[in-house]
Amino acid sequence: MLAADGTPLKKSLARALRLQKMRALALIAPLLIFVLVSFIIPIGSMLFRSVENGMVAETLPLTVAELKNWDAESNELPDEAVYAAFVADMVVAIANKEHTRLGTRLNYEKTGMSSLFRKSGRKIKNLDPATDAPFKDKVIDIDKKFGDVETWAVIKTHSVKITNGYFLNAVDMQRTPEGALAQPEDKRILIRLFQRTLIMSLIITGSCILLGYPVAWLLANLQARTANILMILVLLPFWTSLLVRTSAWKVMLQQQGVINDVLVWIGLVADDARLVMINNQFGTIVAMTHILLPFMILPMYSVMQTINPSYLRAAKSMGATNWTAFWRVYFPLSVPGIGAGSILVFILSIGYYITPEIVGGTKGVFISNRIAYHISSSLNWGLAAALGSILLAVVLILYWAYDKIVGIDNVKLG
Amino acid sequence: MADATASDAFVEFERVQKSYDGETLVVKDLNLTMPRGEFLTMLGPSGSGKTTCLMMLAGFETATHGDIRLGGTSINNIPPHKRGIGMVFQNYALFPHMTIAENLSFPLEVRRIGRSDREAKVKRALDMVEMGAFGGRRPAQLSGGQQQRIALARALVFEPELVLMDEPLGALDKQLREKMQFEITNLAHELGITTVYVTHDQTEALTMSDRVAVFDDGRIQQLDPPDTLYEEPKNSFVAQFIGENNTLEGMVKEINNGLALVQLDDGELIDCQPVHESVKPGARTRVSIRPERVEYNKDRLKEGVHTLKAEVKEFIYMGDIFRTRLSVAGNDEFIIKTRNAPDVDRLKPGQQIEIGWLPEDCRALDA
Ligand SMILES: Nc1ncnc2c1ncn2[C@@H]1O[C@H](COP(=O)(O)OP(=O)(O)O)[C@@H](O)[C@H]1O
Ligand SMILES: [Mg+2]
């Protein structure tokens, strides 16, 4: 097809639309840049950090090159060339004050590496790479750990620029010269933590459904005035600080707390056998159910509001009892709201941090608390990033599974 | 069918009142008796309480006062699902998460009817509304008219004796509406079901019903077959509400030989039939004349009837009829309708004519 001036119609149309598209793009550009900077780049950098591992190779370039010729499984120490290269690398690193950072990095893989590098640094500085050869014995003299095959094996194993080591650690395995191996029994905590996070999030989602459904139903079916008051009660928690709400649960649930006091007073519980309801999984589930409940109620409510009351009337006029009318007609129509609320609550709770941190004790913490620990205490950002990436993947997989089973089209927010 | 006696009464409302808020009565005093098999329409302006009456009959609202009986037994305390009344809702209320066949089989399932029986009944009901091929679809995949038919089939599939319909054709376009009006009346008569039909469309009410109950202000203003309703309205509300109507206001001078002499506000005299009980000498009255009963051809008027002077304001050619607006006795909205026939003059604006009518076509009603 040709346009009136002879150019192909397609081209002419594209030209006509281009200006419009450019203008639209310019309008959304600030938002686009904001999303890019605040959302996509951080996630991208997290994903990258979980595999990035340039430090060993950058700080000890000569050593890493020499170690290529050494077989870590031979059970023999590397030869003089490696030690000479190591001294040369270290002198430069010490001058740049990089050797302690390297020690910290290697300490994630083997405890003791941090102090080894810190302490030996001062002495290695006094060696002159040009004149003091041979180095092997001198270096081993400085610290006999340099005479340990394993020290060199760790350096060699973690000298690759892109590593799967953090991900292996995140699933309770480790990178060794022999390949990926399971962590020793006492260090395997992360998989359990993942499982616990998933199971507790499911329980929290379930409790939110059970508690939220009747409330949402009331909201959608009460008279406008009463419903408004109820709605304020539902939203009230949003106006209170999360910390205050969580601490309130601490007051309620602790052994000398309100609930125990009442139970003892009624006589249901003996004074010396007060219930332990806080700093464990129970406390976390109770507090998080309470905190996430509005996220369940609101989508349910907005879906229920769209269910025309004449459906129930029609069902009853056809002979259905109240229960049958609810179960066969109202409930199926409200399922999209349950779906939307569940996805929201589940995804929020799987990454929740503050509440488990405060009321979870040791048994009720989530994987996110471990991530926070690695980011702010152990400074093992690579592992934290790997854990975060796995969490992201789990959420995406569950979302996909939900789409397959229930259908994401069935999720409505109103 | 028009005069139902208490013996064959199927649906009865006796002195029923309804208030939602405890302050105003939405239904003020409803008395209604329907025989089996009747097609009765509740007609009235929006807000006149029609839906409320229907909902009380279906059991979704309770009467504040009075008695509602079905087949002789009071149903005030029977819950909706035990009343066995079929209902068609204005928005159809087809369950969107079920297919058409599942929708139809729902009332049979809750009645614990066996699977094979159910399937046969569903098929029969679908065939009845000519929708046999659509059993597997969802309501959203059907057009408005098709959904309408399904709603009808669903209300009938469990063979109720009484079916209630609340403005079921309100959402359809005119052509489809006329077709469905015809189909619904045919079905109802064929199956011999008693039907209470609610509408605010008077044409619908007139064409479909055995009897029409005209509602206003929470009361039945008149309950009669369509022709009686149109030709013999009992009060000015019904006269105004049903069909097109001309109104002239005046005072009753005297009543002679069953005819009232009314002096209009501009002094002219006309003869009318006194209808409303308030029509007594000295009382004010509102006179109602149908546009098609007004005659301006002197030759066709009876000797001696009173005529009125009129000025033609507007002449509208409508194809089969002419519609002319006149100014009569101070009323500028006086309409007359004449058939488009070869011997009929076309009036011109500004023309002065004389109009008249048969005294029995001119009804003196309440002021
Ligand atoms: N559920 C209700 N609560 C309060 N007032 C109502 C309710 N339903 C109807 N009304 C009032 O009752 C009157 C009659 O309503 P309705 O029966 O729906 O009239 P119609 O069907 O003739 O249009 C209206 O004034 C309406 O506002
Ligand atoms: Mg209504």
Side-chain angles (χ1 to χ4, degrees), chain A residues 175-306:
Chain A
R175 188 180 161 92
T176 65
E178 298 97 66
L181 287 182
Q183 294 267 30
E185 198 80 47
D186 57 324
K187 282 185 150 183
R188 284 184 219 161
I189 52 165
L190 293 173
I191 294 255
R192 272 225 319 276
L193 211 50
F194 268 118
Q195 281 170 348
R196 184 199 290 166
T197 306
L198 286 179
I199 289 169
M200 284 178 62
S201 297
L202 280 176
I203 295 175
I204 291 164
T205 310
S207 339
C208 280
I209 294 175
L210 288 182
L211 291 176
Y213 198 89
V215 178
W217 186 85
L218 278 179
L219 272 175
N221 289 286
L222 278 180
Q223 276 191 335
R225 261 168 53 94
T226 338
N228 274 341
I229 295 172
L230 192 58
M231 184 57 120
I232 290 174
L233 291 181
V234 170
L235 293 178
L236 205 59
F238 281 132
W239 305 335
T240 328
S241 154
L242 182 59
L243 276 170
V244 172
R245 275 180 283 155
T246 308
S247 310
W249 277 112
K250 227 168 168 140
V251 174
M252 294 287 286
L253 295 176
Q254 63 190 330
Q255 282 193 289
Q256 301 302 322
V258 180
I259 291 178
N260 264 315
D261 282 349
V262 170
L263 288 178
V264 169
W265 182 68
I266 300 175
L268 275 179
V269 169
D271 200 9
D272 53 359
R274 284 171 175 252
L275 302 175
V276 183
M277 295 185 290
I278 200 81
N279 294 333
N280 56 13
Q281 303 193 355
F282 180 79
T284 309
I285 290 172
V286 169
M288 283 190 50
T289 301
H290 166 238
I291 283 161
L292 295 177
L293 199 52
F295 295 99
M296 183 63 85
I297 292 176
L298 291 178
M300 279 184 178
Y301 163 65
S302 63
V303 167
M304 286 181 185
Q305 233 188 355
T306 63

Side-chain angles (χ1 to χ4, degrees), chain A residues 308-322 324-325 327-330 332-333, chain B residues 55 60-61 80-81 85 87 89 91 93-98 103 106-107 109-111 154 158:
Chain A
N308 196 318
S310 67
Y311 290 139
L312 277 184
R313 291 188 160 179
K316 283 185 216 166
S317 79
M318 287 183 269
T321 57
N322 284 337
T324 314
W327 183 244
R328 295 281 315 274
V329 177
Y330 196 86
L333 291 175
Chain B
M55 288 301 158
F60 298 118
E61 298 288 354
H81 69 269
I85 299 177
M87 266 195 101
F89 292 80
N91 60 0
L94 298 177
F95 305 140
H97 59 295
M98 298 184 188
N103 260 287
F106 183 86
E109 275 170 49
V110 299
R111 285 183 164 68
R154 193 178 64 170
F158 62 98

Side-chain angles (χ1 to χ4, degrees), chain A residues 223 313, chain B residues 18-21 24-27 43-55 61 166-167 198-200 215:
Chain A
Q223 276 191 335
R313 291 188 160 179
Chain B
K18 170 72 188 177
S19 170
Y20 284 106
D21 52 7
T24 50
L25 282 174
V26 169
V27 176
L43 172 68
S46 176
S48 55
K50 310 177 298 285
T51 301
T52 306
C53 288
L54 214 61
M55 288 301 158
E61 298 288 354
D166 191 358
E167 314 215 8
V198 164
T199 180
H200 63 261
F215 270 65

